[in-house]
């Protein structure tokens, strides 16, 4: 005979749902733990080995499309590959990618076929260096005049840099300056023409190194990088300098 206790235990067992299997849960737990450990190991390796981290970033950039070093949310301009001094891949408007042979601007049309051409990037770097060098000189000259350094003669006495242009035009001094600038531009034009014909001249290179400061490739690379950095800074600084001088109409330091 079946006892009342056995019937009660049988009924209770049949009413309790079966326990779910733990195989899937255990597998998921092991996988999650493994991923966490793998991530931690990768982070430690990247922290202790920057080269490995850099290589990983480079592989990701190659796989997903290289991004600009200076504007990370934009694609890196194709023409800016990092080989040019001061190249930070900053070209949000894409000027460096314009397909236009700039030799057409300075070389007669009948001679175009005989040239290798000048890329837009070469032309813009030439212009950048020229304007930067002028601004570096202009900052020094502008401040020196406002500190009291003038040409001898009564017509230059008490002259400020802000007033100098109009006074020089009125006195006829700008003609000589125009002549000097014209000669320099002719020299520059010859250098660019030679570059268009395959001379291999780098932008802005006039072979002026009387003290052999670029005797080694390392020194040359360092100085070229420093020059373009100072050129860019000088262009911004001169704009601010003249603006401050015009707003305050005071001598150096213009406040």
């Amino acid at each position: 005979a079946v006892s009342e206790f056995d019937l009660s235990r049988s009924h209770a067992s049949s009413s309790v749902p079966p326990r779910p299997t733990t195989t899937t849960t255990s597998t998921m737990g092991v996988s999650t733990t493994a991923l966490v450990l793998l991530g931690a190991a990768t982070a430690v390796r990247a922290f202790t080995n920057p080269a490995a981290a850099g290589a990983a970033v480079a592989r990701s950039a190659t796989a997903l499309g290289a991004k600009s070093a200076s504007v990370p949310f934009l694609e890196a301009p194709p023409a800016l590959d990092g080989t040019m001094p001061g190249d930070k891949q900053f070209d949000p408007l894409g000027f460096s990618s314009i397909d236009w042979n700039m030799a057409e601007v300075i070389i007669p049309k009948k001679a175009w076929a005989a040239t290798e051409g000048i890329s837009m990037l070469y032309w813009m770097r030439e212009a950048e260096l020229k304007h930067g060098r002028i601004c570096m000189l202009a900052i020094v000259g502008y401040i020196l005049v406002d500190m009291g350094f003038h040409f001898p003669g009564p017509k230059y006495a008490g002259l400020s840099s802000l007033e100098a242009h109009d006074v020089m035009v009125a006195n006829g001094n700008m003609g000589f300056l125009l002549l000097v600038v014209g000669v320099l531009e002719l020299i520059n034009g010859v250098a660019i023409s030679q570059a268009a014909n395959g001379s291999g001249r780098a932008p802005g290179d006039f072979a002026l190194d009387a003290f052999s400061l670029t005797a080694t490739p390392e020194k040359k690379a360092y100085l070229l990088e420093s020059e373009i950095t100072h050129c860019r800074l000088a262009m911004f600084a001169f704009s601010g300098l003249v603006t401050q001088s015009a707003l305050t109409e005071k001598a150096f330091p213009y406040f």
Side-chain angles (χ1 to χ4, degrees):
V2 179
S3 65
E4 184 178 354
F5 174 75
D6 292 334
L7 289 175
S8 298
R9 186 174 62 177
S10 175
H11 177 72
S13 300
S14 63
S15 62
V16 176
R19 295 180 62 186
T21 177
T22 59
T23 303
T24 303
T25 304
S26 301
T27 303
M28 291 178 62
V30 172
S31 301
T32 303
T33 303
L35 288 174
V36 171
L37 292 175
L38 179 61
T42 304
V44 171
R45 184 186 176 197
F47 181 76
T48 57
N49 189 356
V57 172
R59 286 194 297 271
S60 300
T62 302
L64 301 177
K67 298 295 183 181
S68 169
S70 57
V71 192
F73 54 86
L74 295 179
E75 297 292 331
L80 302 179
D81 56 2
T83 58
M84 187 173 285
D87 182 5
K88 306 301 179 184
Q89 298 180 327
F90 181 81
D91 186 16
L93 299 181
F95 289 124
S96 63
S97 300
I98 296 177
D99 186 15
W100 184 10
N101 182 8
M102 298 304 295
E104 302 172 5
V105 179
I106 59 174
I107 299 176
K109 188 174 182 178
K110 62 181 180 180
W112 289 356
T115 68
E116 294 187 1
I118 298 176
S119 67
M120 178 63 74
L121 180 60
Y122 184 102
W123 185 268
M124 296 185 71
R125 173 49 63 93
E126 184 81 25
E128 183 180 27
L129 285 169
K130 179 188 296 184
H131 287 83
R133 290 165 178 170
I134 291 173
C135 283
M136 286 190 285
L137 292 173
I139 287 176
V140 177
Y142 200 99
I143 293 176
L144 285 178
V145 168
D146 285 340
M147 292 179 66
F149 294 89
H150 303 94
F151 285 123
K155 64 180 181 180
Y156 302 114
L159 188 64
S160 70
S161 294
L162 187 63
E163 302 167 342
H165 177 271
D166 295 342
V167 174
M168 294 298 101
V169 171
N171 292 336
N173 297 92
M174 299 299 284
F176 175 73
L177 179 60
L178 179 61
L179 177 63
V180 173
V181 172
V183 172
L184 294 176
E185 284 297 321
L186 285 174
I187 297 173
N188 190 44
V190 172
I192 295 178
S193 297
Q194 291 176 348
N197 283 291
S199 68
R201 170 187 179 267
D205 185 6
F206 293 96
L208 297 176
D209 188 15
F211 300 102
S212 300
L213 299 177
T214 60
T216 64
E218 293 77 13
K219 289 182 178 180
K220 184 175 182 179
Y222 174 79
L223 290 175
L224 290 176
E225 186 78 19
S226 299
E227 181 187 32
I228 191 62
T229 301
H230 286 84
C231 282
R232 292 166 178 170
L233 177 61
M235 286 187 281
F236 279 108
F238 187 71
S239 299
L241 181 68
V242 175
T243 301
Q244 180 76 2
S245 174
L247 289 176
T248 63
E249 296 186 353
K250 296 181 180 180
F252 181 79
Y254 312 113
F255 59 81

